Amino acid sequence: MARTVREWPEVIFAPRARGGSGRARRTVDSMSVTIGRVYDDVPPGVTRVLVDRLWPRGIRKGDPRIGQWCKEVAPSSDLRQWYHHDPAKHDEFTRRYRDELGSGEQAAALACIRQLAEHGDVELVTATKDPAISEVPIIVEEL
């Protein structure tokens, strides 16, 4: 299935089907954050952070592809179940998720990821089939 390249402010996702690396990269004030899938190989010298609320299928605890698990930054269960990765709901999902990221445990978790990114390269990973319509690009934009 061919996918199109999706662009966000300063974030470009280049799917493997188009010959890209399958990762998006954003650099802001010496902060480098990439987007990947948990099933991808681990790039050297990168701290990986799983940002899904649910543990990915087929991955054992302690798998080196995971790195750290920051489920607190993920969308709430209610929002995640409502959205269900429906592209038609993506704009509303983005608005609601940004509201969630502004307060509570999600804001604190976002600050922790920001701090990690200030000290080195970070890759935010997800188990979703299409990271372009997941929560990950929204997290990157908020950093």
Side-chain angles (χ1 to χ4, degrees):
M1 177 173 102
R3 297 181 185 169
T4 60
V5 175
R6 292 191 61 134
E7 295 184 22
W8 300 280
E10 301 179 47
V11 180
I12 299 174
F13 181 76
R16 278 186 169 57
R18 301 275 181 169
S21 66
R23 292 182 167 84
R25 175 174 292 280
R26 180 178 190 198
T27 304
V28 178
D29 299 330
S30 76
M31 202 170 49
S32 178
V33 179
T34 56
I35 297 172
R37 292 193 68 222
V38 72
Y39 306 103
D40 296 340
D41 293 332
V42 180
V46 172
T47 301
R48 291 185 109 198
V49 181
L50 173 64
V51 293
D52 290 344
R53 187 160 297 273
L54 302 176
W55 190 261
R57 291 179 186 208
I59 302 288
R60 71 187 191 309
K61 304 278 181 169
D63 189 305
R65 293 176 291 179
I66 297 294
Q68 300 178 29
W69 185 21
C70 186
K71 64 182 176 182
E72 295 81 10
V73 77
S76 65
S77 293
D78 289 340
L79 181 57
R80 179 180 51 79
Q81 290 169 357
W82 169 82
Y83 176 48
H84 201 63
H85 293 277
D86 179 356
K89 296 179 179 177
H90 189 261
D91 290 339
E92 180 63 16
F93 168 75
T94 299
R95 187 191 67 73
R96 290 183 186 188
Y97 185 46
R98 280 204 169 116
D99 288 345
E100 286 187 359
L101 284 173
S103 63
E105 74 174 356
Q106 290 166 323
L110 188 63
C112 289
I113 293 172
R114 186 177 295 119
Q115 189 175 31
L116 273 175
E118 289 171 355
H119 296 293
D121 294 341
V122 172
E123 182 172 60
L124 302 180
V125 295
T126 180
T128 187
K129 291 179 183 175
D130 190 357
I133 61 168
S134 73
E135 76 276 10
V136 184
I138 301 165
I139 295 170
V140 172
E141 288 175 8
E142 293 297 313
L143 291 175

